[in-house]
Each structure stands twice: as structure tokens, then as C-alpha cells.
Amino acid sequence: MKMRKIYARQRAKIFATAKELDLDNELLHAFIENLVGVTSIAQLTSLQAAMVIDELEYKKTGVRKEPQYRSNMATEDQVYKIHALERELGWDSNPKRLNAFMKKYCRVENEKWLTFDKASNLIEALKKVAERDR
């Protein structure tokens, strides 16, 4: 799988934020090497660049941004619906039951690792189980 290289806007954001923090070129490169292990800004992937930008913003503002790197993962609404169906089925007293169901049908042991499609399929499967129980 080929990783995307850093975007021009990301490069500009890194340099602009470093300037606001009064980081010279040498300090900026040392910061990036310590953070992601890359010595050159041109070698950064877009994901690594996003991590660098987030850390620079944290150094500037003191507020840590929640990572948004879950592009194909289950949404919060899907996870909420899964747990709502778990409660409806009465499985909430034994969390291993949902985990075993996920492992059997989605090949995933925890909802944190569900993709969007697998979460949708899991929701539909749980709805069918709830329908049969009624």
C-alpha cells in the first residue's frame, strides 16, 4: 500500500506554525525526527504530517486535538447503535457475548476495530437477532 506524500498545504502549515513557535529550521527538523523518525520534511507522508501539525498546534495552544485518522472506521453513531442493540438483547450484563458475536461474524474482537461496512453488517445482524427474540 503506497502512502501519500505530504501535501503543499501541510508543508506550509508546518512552517507557519514553527515560525509562530520561534522554532528555527534545525529545531523543527529535530522535533519532527523525534516525533515520527523522519529527517526530512519532504519524506513525510500525509499522515505523519498531520501528526506533526497536531503536535505543533498542541505546543502552541496547549490543547490536544483528538486524532481524526479513522477514515474507514465505524462511526460513533454506529458504535452507539451496537450498544443500544446489545442492551435491547439483554447482553449488556455479559460483554463477552457481544465480543464473541463480533468475533464470529465480523472477525473483530472489539468495536474499536470495526470498519464502517462491518459495523453496518453487525447492526443488521443484531437487529435480526432482536427481531427473532421478539
PDB file of all heavy atoms in Angstrom, residues 100-126:
ATOM      1  N   ALA A 100     -17.954 -12.018  21.420  1.00  0.00           N
ATOM      2  CA  ALA A 100     -17.942 -13.303  20.723  1.00  0.00           C
ATOM      3  C   ALA A 100     -18.761 -13.229  19.433  1.00  0.00           C
ATOM      4  O   ALA A 100     -18.372 -13.796  18.406  1.00  0.00           O
ATOM      5  CB  ALA A 100     -18.491 -14.392  21.637  1.00  0.00           C
ATOM      6  N   PHE A 101     -19.895 -12.518  19.474  1.00  0.00           N
ATOM      7  CA  PHE A 101     -20.725 -12.346  18.285  1.00  0.00           C
ATOM      8  C   PHE A 101     -19.951 -11.584  17.208  1.00  0.00           C
ATOM      9  O   PHE A 101     -19.964 -11.957  16.035  1.00  0.00           O
ATOM     10  CB  PHE A 101     -22.009 -11.597  18.668  1.00  0.00           C
ATOM     11  CG  PHE A 101     -23.069 -11.590  17.611  1.00  0.00           C
ATOM     12  CD1 PHE A 101     -23.946 -12.646  17.484  1.00  0.00           C
ATOM     13  CD2 PHE A 101     -23.199 -10.513  16.743  1.00  0.00           C
ATOM     14  CE1 PHE A 101     -24.941 -12.648  16.508  1.00  0.00           C
ATOM     15  CE2 PHE A 101     -24.172 -10.498  15.766  1.00  0.00           C
ATOM     16  CZ  PHE A 101     -25.050 -11.571  15.647  1.00  0.00           C
ATOM     17  N   MET A 102     -19.253 -10.530  17.621  1.00  0.00           N
ATOM     18  CA  MET A 102     -18.440  -9.749  16.675  1.00  0.00           C
ATOM     19  C   MET A 102     -17.315 -10.606  16.103  1.00  0.00           C
ATOM     20  O   MET A 102     -17.026 -10.534  14.905  1.00  0.00           O
ATOM     21  CB  MET A 102     -17.835  -8.522  17.363  1.00  0.00           C
ATOM     22  CG  MET A 102     -18.741  -7.347  17.447  1.00  0.00           C
ATOM     23  SD  MET A 102     -17.890  -5.853  17.963  1.00  0.00           S
ATOM     24  CE  MET A 102     -17.557  -6.194  19.661  1.00  0.00           C
ATOM     25  N   LYS A 103     -16.690 -11.399  16.962  1.00  0.00           N
ATOM     26  CA  LYS A 103     -15.576 -12.227  16.503  1.00  0.00           C
ATOM     27  C   LYS A 103     -16.058 -13.253  15.480  1.00  0.00           C
ATOM     28  O   LYS A 103     -15.397 -13.499  14.477  1.00  0.00           O
ATOM     29  CB  LYS A 103     -14.920 -12.927  17.683  1.00  0.00           C
ATOM     30  CG  LYS A 103     -13.670 -13.684  17.309  1.00  0.00           C
ATOM     31  CD  LYS A 103     -12.986 -14.243  18.529  1.00  0.00           C
ATOM     32  CE  LYS A 103     -11.722 -14.974  18.135  1.00  0.00           C
ATOM     33  NZ  LYS A 103     -11.010 -15.490  19.288  1.00  0.00           N
ATOM     34  N   LYS A 104     -17.255 -13.823  15.717  1.00  0.00           N
ATOM     35  CA  LYS A 104     -17.775 -14.844  14.822  1.00  0.00           C
ATOM     36  C   LYS A 104     -18.194 -14.260  13.474  1.00  0.00           C
ATOM     37  O   LYS A 104     -17.873 -14.804  12.424  1.00  0.00           O
ATOM     38  CB  LYS A 104     -18.966 -15.542  15.468  1.00  0.00           C
ATOM     39  CG  LYS A 104     -19.540 -16.651  14.623  1.00  0.00           C
ATOM     40  CD  LYS A 104     -20.655 -17.379  15.345  1.00  0.00           C
ATOM     41  CE  LYS A 104     -21.201 -18.496  14.474  1.00  0.00           C
ATOM     42  NZ  LYS A 104     -22.265 -19.229  15.143  1.00  0.00           N
ATOM     43  N   TYR A 105     -18.912 -13.138  13.496  1.00  0.00           N
ATOM     44  CA  TYR A 105     -19.486 -12.612  12.262  1.00  0.00           C
ATOM     45  C   TYR A 105     -18.653 -11.518  11.586  1.00  0.00           C
ATOM     46  O   TYR A 105     -18.782 -11.306  10.387  1.00  0.00           O
ATOM     47  CB  TYR A 105     -20.908 -12.107  12.518  1.00  0.00           C
ATOM     48  CG  TYR A 105     -21.852 -13.232  12.818  1.00  0.00           C
ATOM     49  CD1 TYR A 105     -22.258 -13.503  14.100  1.00  0.00           C
ATOM     50  CD2 TYR A 105     -22.292 -14.074  11.797  1.00  0.00           C
ATOM     51  CE1 TYR A 105     -23.101 -14.569  14.381  1.00  0.00           C
ATOM     52  CE2 TYR A 105     -23.136 -15.136  12.061  1.00  0.00           C
ATOM     53  CZ  TYR A 105     -23.535 -15.375  13.352  1.00  0.00           C
ATOM     54  OH  TYR A 105     -24.356 -16.435  13.627  1.00  0.00           O
ATOM     55  N   CYS A 106     -17.818 -10.831  12.342  1.00  0.00           N
ATOM     56  CA  CYS A 106     -17.022  -9.739  11.754  1.00  0.00           C
ATOM     57  C   CYS A 106     -15.521 -10.014  11.801  1.00  0.00           C
ATOM     58  O   CYS A 106     -14.741  -9.234  11.254  1.00  0.00           O
ATOM     59  CB  CYS A 106     -17.300  -8.432  12.486  1.00  0.00           C
ATOM     60  SG  CYS A 106     -19.002  -7.917  12.442  1.00  0.00           S
ATOM     61  N   ARG A 107     -15.136 -11.048  12.511  1.00  0.00           N
ATOM     62  CA  ARG A 107     -13.721 -11.382  12.704  1.00  0.00           C
ATOM     63  C   ARG A 107     -12.957 -10.248  13.372  1.00  0.00           C
ATOM     64  O   ARG A 107     -11.795  -9.976  13.054  1.00  0.00           O
ATOM     65  CB  ARG A 107     -13.073 -11.789  11.385  1.00  0.00           C
ATOM     66  CG  ARG A 107     -13.632 -13.079  10.832  1.00  0.00           C
ATOM     67  CD  ARG A 107     -12.910 -13.497   9.571  1.00  0.00           C
ATOM     68  NE  ARG A 107     -13.296 -14.820   9.158  1.00  0.00           N
ATOM     69  CZ  ARG A 107     -14.376 -15.086   8.422  1.00  0.00           C
ATOM     70  NH1 ARG A 107     -15.175 -14.106   8.063  1.00  0.00           N
ATOM     71  NH2 ARG A 107     -14.661 -16.316   8.074  1.00  0.00           N
ATOM     72  N   VAL A 108     -13.641  -9.589  14.300  1.00  0.00           N
ATOM     73  CA  VAL A 108     -13.062  -8.493  15.077  1.00  0.00           C
ATOM     74  C   VAL A 108     -13.506  -8.694  16.513  1.00  0.00           C
ATOM     75  O   VAL A 108     -14.668  -9.003  16.769  1.00  0.00           O
ATOM     76  CB  VAL A 108     -13.569  -7.125  14.553  1.00  0.00           C
ATOM     77  CG1 VAL A 108     -13.111  -5.998  15.436  1.00  0.00           C
ATOM     78  CG2 VAL A 108     -13.103  -6.900  13.131  1.00  0.00           C
ATOM     79  N   GLU A 109     -12.597  -8.526  17.465  1.00  0.00           N
ATOM     80  CA  GLU A 109     -12.940  -8.787  18.859  1.00  0.00           C
ATOM     81  C   GLU A 109     -13.392  -7.558  19.638  1.00  0.00           C
ATOM     82  O   GLU A 109     -13.874  -7.683  20.758  1.00  0.00           O
ATOM     83  CB  GLU A 109     -11.740  -9.417  19.571  1.00  0.00           C
ATOM     84  CG  GLU A 109     -11.404 -10.789  19.024  1.00  0.00           C
ATOM     85  CD  GLU A 109     -10.268 -11.439  19.766  1.00  0.00           C
ATOM     86  OE1 GLU A 109     -10.082 -11.142  20.953  1.00  0.00           O
ATOM     87  OE2 GLU A 109      -9.572 -12.257  19.155  1.00  0.00           O
ATOM     88  N   ASN A 110     -13.233  -6.379  19.069  1.00  0.00           N
ATOM     89  CA  ASN A 110     -13.587  -5.157  19.784  1.00  0.00           C
ATOM     90  C   ASN A 110     -14.170  -4.159  18.798  1.00  0.00           C
ATOM     91  O   ASN A 110     -13.711  -4.071  17.656  1.00  0.00           O
ATOM     92  CB  ASN A 110     -12.329  -4.582  20.451  1.00  0.00           C
ATOM     93  CG  ASN A 110     -12.636  -3.520  21.461  1.00  0.00           C
ATOM     94  OD1 ASN A 110     -13.520  -2.696  21.254  1.00  0.00           O
ATOM     95  ND2 ASN A 110     -11.906  -3.525  22.562  1.00  0.00           N
ATOM     96  N   GLU A 111     -15.147  -3.368  19.244  1.00  0.00           N
ATOM     97  CA  GLU A 111     -15.787  -2.423  18.324  1.00  0.00           C
ATOM     98  C   GLU A 111     -14.841  -1.324  17.856  1.00  0.00           C
ATOM     99  O   GLU A 111     -15.088  -0.679  16.849  1.00  0.00           O
ATOM    100  CB  GLU A 111     -17.047  -1.809  18.950  1.00  0.00           C
ATOM    101  CG  GLU A 111     -16.789  -0.818  20.041  1.00  0.00           C
ATOM    102  CD  GLU A 111     -16.823  -1.418  21.431  1.00  0.00           C
ATOM    103  OE1 GLU A 111     -17.106  -2.609  21.593  1.00  0.00           O
ATOM    104  OE2 GLU A 111     -16.551  -0.668  22.379  1.00  0.00           O
ATOM    105  N   LYS A 112     -13.734  -1.114  18.538  1.00  0.00           N
ATOM    106  CA  LYS A 112     -12.764  -0.100  18.111  1.00  0.00           C
ATOM    107  C   LYS A 112     -12.140  -0.442  16.760  1.00  0.00           C
ATOM    108  O   LYS A 112     -11.654   0.433  16.068  1.00  0.00           O
ATOM    109  CB  LYS A 112     -11.654   0.031  19.146  1.00  0.00           C
ATOM    110  CG  LYS A 112     -12.096   0.604  20.455  1.00  0.00           C
ATOM    111  CD  LYS A 112     -10.964   0.632  21.434  1.00  0.00           C
ATOM    112  CE  LYS A 112     -11.448   1.085  22.783  1.00  0.00           C
ATOM    113  NZ  LYS A 112     -10.411   1.017  23.808  1.00  0.00           N
ATOM    114  N   TRP A 113     -12.160  -1.726  16.404  1.00  0.00           N
ATOM    115  CA  TRP A 113     -11.516  -2.160  15.173  1.00  0.00           C
ATOM    116  C   TRP A 113     -12.495  -2.435  14.050  1.00  0.00           C
ATOM    117  O   TRP A 113     -12.103  -2.900  12.982  1.00  0.00           O
ATOM    118  CB  TRP A 113     -10.653  -3.395  15.449  1.00  0.00           C
ATOM    119  CG  TRP A 113      -9.640  -3.112  16.497  1.00  0.00           C
ATOM    120  CD1 TRP A 113      -9.612  -3.595  17.764  1.00  0.00           C
ATOM    121  CD2 TRP A 113      -8.532  -2.222  16.405  1.00  0.00           C
ATOM    122  NE1 TRP A 113      -8.549  -3.075  18.460  1.00  0.00           N
ATOM    123  CE2 TRP A 113      -7.872  -2.223  17.642  1.00  0.00           C
ATOM    124  CE3 TRP A 113      -8.031  -1.408  15.385  1.00  0.00           C
ATOM    125  CZ2 TRP A 113      -6.741  -1.460  17.885  1.00  0.00           C
ATOM    126  CZ3 TRP A 113      -6.908  -0.646  15.634  1.00  0.00           C
ATOM    127  CH2 TRP A 113      -6.271  -0.681  16.872  1.00  0.00           C
ATOM    128  N   LEU A 114     -13.769  -2.129  14.265  1.00  0.00           N
ATOM    129  CA  LEU A 114     -14.766  -2.327  13.220  1.00  0.00           C
ATOM    130  C   LEU A 114     -14.615  -1.288  12.115  1.00  0.00           C
ATOM    131  O   LEU A 114     -14.454  -0.104  12.400  1.00  0.00           O
ATOM    132  CB  LEU A 114     -16.177  -2.213  13.797  1.00  0.00           C
ATOM    133  CG  LEU A 114     -16.703  -3.380  14.601  1.00  0.00           C
ATOM    134  CD1 LEU A 114     -18.007  -2.998  15.279  1.00  0.00           C
ATOM    135  CD2 LEU A 114     -16.906  -4.590  13.717  1.00  0.00           C
ATOM    136  N   THR A 115     -14.687  -1.726  10.883  1.00  0.00           N
ATOM    137  CA  THR A 115     -14.750  -0.776   9.777  1.00  0.00           C
ATOM    138  C   THR A 115     -16.195  -0.324   9.632  1.00  0.00           C
ATOM    139  O   THR A 115     -17.106  -0.901  10.235  1.00  0.00           O
ATOM    140  CB  THR A 115     -14.285  -1.418   8.455  1.00  0.00           C
ATOM    141  OG1 THR A 115     -15.177  -2.479   8.121  1.00  0.00           O
ATOM    142  CG2 THR A 115     -12.857  -1.907   8.539  1.00  0.00           C
ATOM    143  N   PHE A 116     -16.420   0.685   8.824  1.00  0.00           N
ATOM    144  CA  PHE A 116     -17.764   1.212   8.611  1.00  0.00           C
ATOM    145  C   PHE A 116     -18.685   0.118   8.079  1.00  0.00           C
ATOM    146  O   PHE A 116     -19.800  -0.070   8.571  1.00  0.00           O
ATOM    147  CB  PHE A 116     -17.702   2.390   7.630  1.00  0.00           C
ATOM    148  CG  PHE A 116     -19.030   3.042   7.393  1.00  0.00           C
ATOM    149  CD1 PHE A 116     -19.502   4.015   8.255  1.00  0.00           C
ATOM    150  CD2 PHE A 116     -19.821   2.671   6.316  1.00  0.00           C
ATOM    151  CE1 PHE A 116     -20.731   4.610   8.049  1.00  0.00           C
ATOM    152  CE2 PHE A 116     -21.050   3.253   6.103  1.00  0.00           C
ATOM    153  CZ  PHE A 116     -21.511   4.243   6.970  1.00  0.00           C
ATOM    154  N   ASP A 117     -18.223  -0.640   7.077  1.00  0.00           N
ATOM    155  CA  ASP A 117     -19.042  -1.690   6.470  1.00  0.00           C
ATOM    156  C   ASP A 117     -19.332  -2.829   7.443  1.00  0.00           C
ATOM    157  O   ASP A 117     -20.459  -3.318   7.526  1.00  0.00           O
ATOM    158  CB  ASP A 117     -18.366  -2.247   5.215  1.00  0.00           C
ATOM    159  CG  ASP A 117     -18.279  -1.216   4.106  1.00  0.00           C
ATOM    160  OD1 ASP A 117     -19.132  -0.301   4.079  1.00  0.00           O
ATOM    161  OD2 ASP A 117     -17.369  -1.322   3.266  1.00  0.00           O
ATOM    162  N   LYS A 118     -18.311  -3.250   8.196  1.00  0.00           N
ATOM    163  CA  LYS A 118     -18.518  -4.325   9.156  1.00  0.00           C
ATOM    164  C   LYS A 118     -19.476  -3.897  10.267  1.00  0.00           C
ATOM    165  O   LYS A 118     -20.284  -4.700  10.743  1.00  0.00           O
ATOM    166  CB  LYS A 118     -17.193  -4.790   9.747  1.00  0.00           C
ATOM    167  CG  LYS A 118     -16.375  -5.627   8.787  1.00  0.00           C
ATOM    168  CD  LYS A 118     -15.120  -6.152   9.446  1.00  0.00           C
ATOM    169  CE  LYS A 118     -14.340  -7.014   8.471  1.00  0.00           C
ATOM    170  NZ  LYS A 118     -13.150  -7.578   9.080  1.00  0.00           N
ATOM    171  N   ALA A 119     -19.389  -2.638  10.689  1.00  0.00           N
ATOM    172  CA  ALA A 119     -20.300  -2.138  11.715  1.00  0.00           C
ATOM    173  C   ALA A 119     -21.734  -2.137  11.195  1.00  0.00           C
ATOM    174  O   ALA A 119     -22.668  -2.503  11.918  1.00  0.00           O
ATOM    175  CB  ALA A 119     -19.889  -0.739  12.163  1.00  0.00           C
ATOM    176  N   SER A 120     -21.920  -1.747   9.938  1.00  0.00           N
ATOM    177  CA  SER A 120     -23.265  -1.765   9.336  1.00  0.00           C
ATOM    178  C   SER A 120     -23.812  -3.184   9.287  1.00  0.00           C
ATOM    179  O   SER A 120     -24.976  -3.423   9.629  1.00  0.00           O
ATOM    180  CB  SER A 120     -23.223  -1.183   7.918  1.00  0.00           C
ATOM    181  OG  SER A 120     -22.863   0.161   7.946  1.00  0.00           O
ATOM    182  N   ASN A 121     -22.982  -4.122   8.882  1.00  0.00           N
ATOM    183  CA  ASN A 121     -23.409  -5.523   8.836  1.00  0.00           C
ATOM    184  C   ASN A 121     -23.718  -6.059  10.229  1.00  0.00           C
ATOM    185  O   ASN A 121     -24.682  -6.811  10.410  1.00  0.00           O
ATOM    186  CB  ASN A 121     -22.338  -6.388   8.164  1.00  0.00           C
ATOM    187  CG  ASN A 121     -22.178  -6.069   6.698  1.00  0.00           C
ATOM    188  OD1 ASN A 121     -23.063  -5.500   6.064  1.00  0.00           O
ATOM    189  ND2 ASN A 121     -21.027  -6.415   6.144  1.00  0.00           N
ATOM    190  N   LEU A 122     -22.910  -5.668  11.215  1.00  0.00           N
ATOM    191  CA  LEU A 122     -23.144  -6.108  12.593  1.00  0.00           C
ATOM    192  C   LEU A 122     -24.468  -5.560  13.119  1.00  0.00           C
ATOM    193  O   LEU A 122     -25.229  -6.290  13.767  1.00  0.00           O
ATOM    194  CB  LEU A 122     -21.983  -5.671  13.485  1.00  0.00           C
ATOM    195  CG  LEU A 122     -22.108  -6.021  14.966  1.00  0.00           C
ATOM    196  CD1 LEU A 122     -22.143  -7.533  15.162  1.00  0.00           C
ATOM    197  CD2 LEU A 122     -20.951  -5.409  15.750  1.00  0.00           C
ATOM    198  N   ILE A 123     -24.759  -4.311  12.835  1.00  0.00           N
ATOM    199  CA  ILE A 123     -26.023  -3.709  13.266  1.00  0.00           C
ATOM    200  C   ILE A 123     -27.200  -4.467  12.675  1.00  0.00           C
ATOM    201  O   ILE A 123     -28.172  -4.789  13.372  1.00  0.00           O
ATOM    202  CB  ILE A 123     -26.063  -2.208  12.905  1.00  0.00           C
ATOM    203  CG1 ILE A 123     -25.080  -1.429  13.779  1.00  0.00           C
ATOM    204  CG2 ILE A 123     -27.482  -1.647  13.045  1.00  0.00           C
ATOM    205  CD1 ILE A 123     -24.838  -0.007  13.345  1.00  0.00           C
ATOM    206  N   GLU A 124     -27.113  -4.765  11.394  1.00  0.00           N
ATOM    207  CA  GLU A 124     -28.201  -5.501  10.748  1.00  0.00           C
ATOM    208  C   GLU A 124     -28.348  -6.900  11.341  1.00  0.00           C
ATOM    209  O   GLU A 124     -29.470  -7.380  11.541  1.00  0.00           O
ATOM    210  CB  GLU A 124     -27.975  -5.574   9.231  1.00  0.00           C
ATOM    211  CG  GLU A 124     -28.105  -4.231   8.542  1.00  0.00           C
ATOM    212  CD  GLU A 124     -29.429  -3.541   8.817  1.00  0.00           C
ATOM    213  OE1 GLU A 124     -30.490  -4.198   8.748  1.00  0.00           O
ATOM    214  OE2 GLU A 124     -29.411  -2.329   9.105  1.00  0.00           O
ATOM    215  N   ALA A 125     -27.241  -7.567  11.625  1.00  0.00           N
ATOM    216  CA  ALA A 125     -27.298  -8.906  12.224  1.00  0.00           C
ATOM    217  C   ALA A 125     -27.915  -8.841  13.619  1.00  0.00           C
ATOM    218  O   ALA A 125     -28.737  -9.692  13.984  1.00  0.00           O
ATOM    219  CB  ALA A 125     -25.899  -9.512  12.284  1.00  0.00           C
ATOM    220  N   LEU A 126     -27.541  -7.831  14.410  1.00  0.00           N
ATOM    221  CA  LEU A 126     -28.111  -7.676  15.752  1.00  0.00           C
ATOM    222  C   LEU A 126     -29.596  -7.366  15.691  1.00  0.00           C
ATOM    223  O   LEU A 126     -30.373  -7.852  16.524  1.00  0.00           O
ATOM    224  CB  LEU A 126     -27.360  -6.594  16.533  1.00  0.00           C
ATOM    225  CG  LEU A 126     -25.939  -6.954  16.970  1.00  0.00           C
ATOM    226  CD1 LEU A 126     -25.230  -5.723  17.506  1.00  0.00           C
ATOM    227  CD2 LEU A 126     -25.966  -8.064  18.003  1.00  0.00           C
TER     228      LEU A 126
END
